Amino acid sequence: MCGISGLYRPGAEVSEDEIGAMCRRLVHRGPDETGTHIDGDFGFGIRRLSIVDLESGSQPIFNEDRSVAVICNGEIYNAPQLRQELAQRGHRFSSRSDVEPIVHLYEEHGTDFARHLRGMFAVAIWDARLRRLVLARDRLGIKPLHCWQGPGLFAFASEIKALLQLEGCPRDIDLEALDAYLSFNYILAPRTIFQAIRKVPPATTVVVDSGGVLFDRYWKLELPETRRGAEAGSELLELLRETVRMHLLSDVPVGVFLSGGIDSSLILALMSESLPRVKSFSIGFAEASYDEVPVARATAERFGTEHHELVVEPSHGLEVEKLVAGLDEPFGDLSALPVYFLSQMAGRQVKVVLSGDGGDELFAGYMTYVADRLARYYRWIPRSLRQHLIPWIVSKLPTSFEKVSFDYKAKRFVEMAGDGPLRSHLGWKVIFSEAEKEGLYRPGLREALSESDPWEPYVQIFEYNGGLHWLDRLLRLDLSTYLVDDILTKVDRMSMAHSLEVRVPLLDHRVVEFAARLRPNLKLKGLRTKHLLKEICRGLLPDDLLNRKKSGFIFPASLWLQRGLREFTADVLSPASLDRMGYFDSGYVQQLLQQHWSGVRDQARPIWNLVMFSSWYSQFMDRSRGGENQ
């Protein structure tokens, strides 16, 4: 795992200082060593976290005549097979690095090389003969890659903060990205919070040469031609065994993030078939409804792991600032904070962990899919009851600050279920509705965003998959949006803040393709989520774990914002702070705070969304104007 960056400025020299400045901002991603290569008007560099071939795997790596150079953030799990095939074709290797096959794949296949890789990666290749830069991001968007195309230059980096080191990189805020963030808690690719900086989409290659910049999609999850039935269970289990074994490729110890859920427990079970003893890491909270440590501990004992756990208490504002510093742009997912502390704990013990991320989007694990099914029946109820009587009854439920409480689910369901399938599905993720943003926004921002529609990208993806079963349409939607720009972004940034590599075996692209071919009722059978996945786990995992209700990995924000974080929140969202930013109506925000503090209504999600934006603004906008180089 590493941090990469580079600059191509045709006709103008690139300096070692420019590349060095970007690399220094990525030291947390790779504290072990720095590697750079300057070739006139091009230069790139890498901060390396040494995991495979510790002694001779330094990057950049060159081909035999040094005309092609490569740097890579990630891991190539089929590197041993690629190495053997390429050696048979006459290519010579100088290391055991999993990255070295890439440079020879490029010699064989040109810009089509990424199709042959199995892994997570953000790759940069410099072809000195053709004066051509080639970038590639992995199929699922596990590893990040950002770019800035300025006047006469093209720059790229793993994280936004590295690009901001370049002279002239503008910091103008993309107001439509801000609008999207306030709607959904994250910013969907290719946008970032900055107008000038863009995310390279997953499964995309970028070619930069004298002819310009060309983006090309090299992989898509196509519509399934055939459906797999229940007999596919044994094949799925063997595929998962294979991918977990491949993800153990490492010259350093590998651990596992262990929650109280099925996905991480299954990963641990399969790891235990290959490793004598695994280090496992779990995090919990003093608030019982949020704490999964007891369940995780029982699983750890079952597999005899060296188990580490941490109970997190309400923290102070400094930790929020550290979250923001690692994320680079506004990000409001409540699970970022526990992942930060989990990564901090694990990073003190190991360099690599496996995680169960992706299972919910592949096998229908979220309870929102159950709600989607129930909503289809709810819409049969006469409109008059749905619009008046039922909402009135639900509104009388007392507010609870328990984790995903009944009143929260009931109120959210009634609010959203009457809409169409896309609106009711995304409604569970909405932070500020369009109506609520009318009150939140100051007039100037409201006018500037009069044509903005943060729902449009989701509508396009949903319509593109119109030929699929309703469940598969929603799974594809979450796989290409929420998973990439929320879940994987969170895991990458929070783990890399502690120089920890997180691998996600369930998102091996062959597993993803296999899951896409399964019949919908093997994913959601009645109201049972992850049906087939649970079936193949019988015998591997205890029945009580398989039958356990799904529980999200979030911190007790509702309670903490009333108690330990109250003073910090009041300061970050004070009228003076809001006036300085100039976007939000301070009276509206103070009303949110009072509703939450008094217990009238749980406003934790919108409040945390605004806390994260205000903290980001303070670090990346206020300080830059004051002369501090972020």
Side-chain angles (χ1 to χ4, degrees):
M1 190 63 61
C2 309
I4 64 174
S5 57
L7 174 61
Y8 188 19
R9 191 163 51 214
E13 294 287 313
V14 170
S15 72
E16 187 81 40
D17 288 344
E18 290 174 298
I19 302 303
M22 287 196 287
C23 283
R24 282 191 293 275
R25 292 299 285 136
L26 299 174
V27 65
H28 53 284
R29 297 187 71 91
D32 293 333
E33 62 179 342
T34 303
T36 62
H37 175 60
I38 309 294
D39 183 9
D41 55 7
F42 173 80
F44 63 10
I46 182 167
R47 288 293 319 192
R48 183 181 178 218
L49 182 65
S50 305
I51 291 173
V52 175
D53 192 0
L54 308 185
E55 298 300 323
S56 58
S58 300
Q59 300 180 44
I61 293 178
F62 297 84
N63 65 339
E64 293 89 340
D65 64 5
R66 297 183 67 86
S67 62
V68 179
V70 62
I71 55 177
C72 175
N73 167 30
E75 300 294 342
I76 309 303
Y77 303 121
N78 64 335
Q81 296 91 336
L82 291 173
R83 179 185 298 271
Q84 183 177 10
E85 295 168 6
L86 290 162
Q88 291 174 352
R89 297 181 66 85
H91 293 276
R92 298 192 305 276
F93 289 82
S94 60
S95 73
R96 294 187 299 103
S97 168
D98 62 306
V99 174
E100 190 170 7
I102 297 174
V103 74
H104 301 298
L105 277 176
Y106 175 77
E107 291 181 295
E108 289 285 334
H109 303 286
T111 59
D112 223 20
F113 74 95
R115 298 178 188 272
H116 301 269
L117 300 177
R118 188 173 177 183
M120 57 179 187
F121 54 85
V123 173
I125 294 175
W126 173 243
D127 188 327
R129 289 176 179 169
L130 298 178
R131 310 304 295 174
R132 179 167 73 178
L133 167 66
V134 182
L135 305 174
R137 190 178 179 198
D138 65 68
R139 293 168 180 83
L140 277 300
I142 303 168
K143 299 318 320 168
L145 189 58
H146 302 83
C147 63
W148 167 43
Q149 188 174 357
L153 64 83
F154 182 92
F156 67 90
S158 296
E159 296 181 11
I160 291 172
K161 61 172 64 73
L163 293 174
L164 295 178
Q165 301 309 297
L166 294 174
E167 184 178 355
C169 185
R171 293 177 184 244
D172 300 310
I173 289 180
D174 184 335
L175 294 182
E176 291 194 25
L178 171 58
D179 192 40
Y181 166 73
L182 292 159
S183 294
F184 297 112
N185 253 348
Y186 62 93
I187 297 169
L188 191 63
R191 293 184 184 276
T192 75
I193 193 62
F194 297 107
Q195 288 182 18
I197 299 175
R198 288 293 178 258
K199 297 165 186 157
V200 175
T204 297
T205 54
V206 186
V207 178
V208 187
D209 57 22
S210 58
V213 180
L214 176 65
F215 288 75
D216 181 52
R217 182 105 183 189
Y218 66 85
W219 178 84
K220 288 183 180 179
L221 190 57
E222 300 294 347
L223 303 181
E225 296 179 0
T226 58
R227 288 294 194 181
R228 303 299 303 271
E231 74 284 352
S234 59
E235 190 176 345
L236 173 59
L237 182 57
E238 287 310 306
L239 179 58
L240 293 176
R241 280 198 168 101
E242 178 200 33
T243 187
V244 168
R245 283 196 299 269
M246 294 179 76
H247 280 68
L248 296 178
L249 175 70
S250 175
D251 291 332
V252 297
V254 180
V256 63
F257 280 166
L258 184 62
S259 70
I262 293 171
D263 299 331
S264 63
S265 301
L266 174 59
I267 297 299
L268 171 58
L270 299 180
M271 290 175 71
S272 297
E273 294 178 353
S274 300
L275 299 178
R277 196 177 189 203
V278 178
K279 290 187 177 184
S280 57
F281 304 91
S282 303
I283 199 165
F285 305 95
E287 294 79 6
S289 67
Y290 290 81
D291 189 27
E292 294 192 336
V293 163
V295 180
R297 186 186 302 139
T299 304
E301 291 173 354
R302 177 185 178 93
F303 292 99
T305 73
E306 180 185 321
H307 190 56
H308 304 266
E309 56 190 44
L310 174 69
V311 175
V312 180
E313 301 290 343
S315 189
H316 49 75
L318 181 60
E319 296 297 345
V320 176
E321 291 186 0
K322 289 179 180 179
L323 290 184
V324 171
L327 290 162
D328 278 1
E329 59 181 342
F331 186 86
D333 190 323
L334 292 173
S335 61
L337 187 143
V339 174
Y340 176 90
F341 285 108
L342 180 62
S343 299
Q344 184 181 67
M345 174 175 57
R348 293 168 177 162
Q349 299 280 334
V350 295
K351 280 188 173 182
V352 183
V353 295
L354 269 57
S355 169
D357 291 300
D360 292 317
E361 292 82 5
L362 295 182
F363 301 102
Y366 295 124
M367 292 307 295
T368 50
Y369 303 123
V370 174
D372 292 326
R373 169 155 281 169
L374 293 174
R376 297 171 69 84
Y377 301 109
Y378 181 78
R379 296 183 194 110
W380 293 353
I381 297 174
R383 183 182 298 271
S384 60
L385 296 179
R386 286 191 282 117
Q387 290 184 339
H388 302 292
L389 180 60
I390 297 176
W392 179 83
I393 294 173
V394 169
S395 70
K396 300 303 179 183
L397 292 172
T399 298
S400 168
F401 286 171
E402 294 292 306
K403 185 178 184 180
V404 196
S405 61
F406 174 76
D407 72 288
Y408 168 78
K409 291 185 288 187
K411 291 171 183 176
R412 203 72 167 179
F413 179 83
V414 169
E415 181 182 357
M416 299 298 174
D419 294 332
L422 176 62
R423 294 275 171 175
S424 61
H425 177 74
L426 282 182
W428 290 93
K429 296 180 175 67
V430 167
I431 307 302
F432 288 99
S433 68
E434 298 306 300
E436 289 167 334
K437 286 190 288 187
E438 285 290 314
L440 173 66
Y441 291 171
R442 288 190 173 184
L445 181 59
R446 202 178 304 133
E447 292 166 7
L449 292 173
S450 60
E451 302 298 322
S452 174
D453 182 5
W455 292 73
E456 180 57 29
Y458 301 90
V459 172
Q460 290 180 3
I461 295 170
F462 190 70
E463 291 181 348
Y464 174 80
N465 291 304
L468 295 177
H469 183 275
W470 68 265
L471 177 61
D472 284 325
R473 292 179 77 183
L474 297 175
L475 289 170
R476 295 288 179 90
L477 178 73
D478 288 342
L479 191 72
S480 56
T481 57
Y482 177 66
L483 175 71
V484 177
D485 292 309
D486 187 311
I487 302 299
L488 294 177
T489 295
K490 166 196 67 186
V491 172
D492 175 83
R493 303 306 191 280
M494 296 296 89
S495 61
M496 283 283 89
H498 301 289
S499 306
L500 177 72
E501 173 174 296
V502 177
R503 300 178 177 180
V504 281
L506 296 178
L507 291 178
D508 178 278
H509 76 274
R510 293 188 181 177
V511 176
V512 174
E513 292 169 344
F514 188 95
R517 294 194 297 272
L518 293 173
R519 294 174 183 167
N521 66 350
L522 294 179
K523 302 167 188 175
L524 181 65
K525 186 170 185 179
L527 301 182
R528 189 189 194 215
T529 58
K530 291 184 181 173
H531 173 68
L532 183 62
L533 196 66
K534 291 175 179 177
E535 289 301 302
I536 67 171
C537 287
R538 293 197 181 279
L540 289 173
L541 302 176
D543 287 345
D544 57 347
L545 178 62
L546 299 179
N547 297 326
R548 184 172 178 265
K549 187 180 297 185
K550 171 73 176 176
S551 180
F553 187 54
I554 59 176
F555 78 98
S558 300
L559 296 168
W560 287 16
L561 289 171
Q562 278 193 326
R563 302 170 188 171
L565 290 177
R566 178 167 176 164
E567 183 177 344
F568 168 75
T569 301
D571 179 59
V572 170
L573 298 182
S574 67
S577 177
L578 297 169
D579 290 344
R580 187 182 70 254
M581 291 186 289
Y583 295 120
F584 310 127
D585 182 276
S586 60
Y588 183 91
V589 175
Q590 295 308 307
Q591 185 179 15
L592 287 180
L593 293 173
Q594 292 303 323
Q595 287 177 347
H596 189 79
W597 291 337
S598 65
V600 171
R601 186 176 180 185
D602 186 350
Q603 298 285 17
R605 294 170 77 236
I607 290 173
W608 187 252
N609 177 282
L610 294 174
V611 163
M612 292 299 282
F613 178 80
S614 181
S615 299
W616 170 84
Y617 193 93
S618 176
Q619 285 195 44
F620 284 82
M621 303 302 291
D622 285 343
R623 294 181 189 176
S624 66
R625 289 167 181 163
E628 182 174 328
N629 190 18
Q630 271 287 333

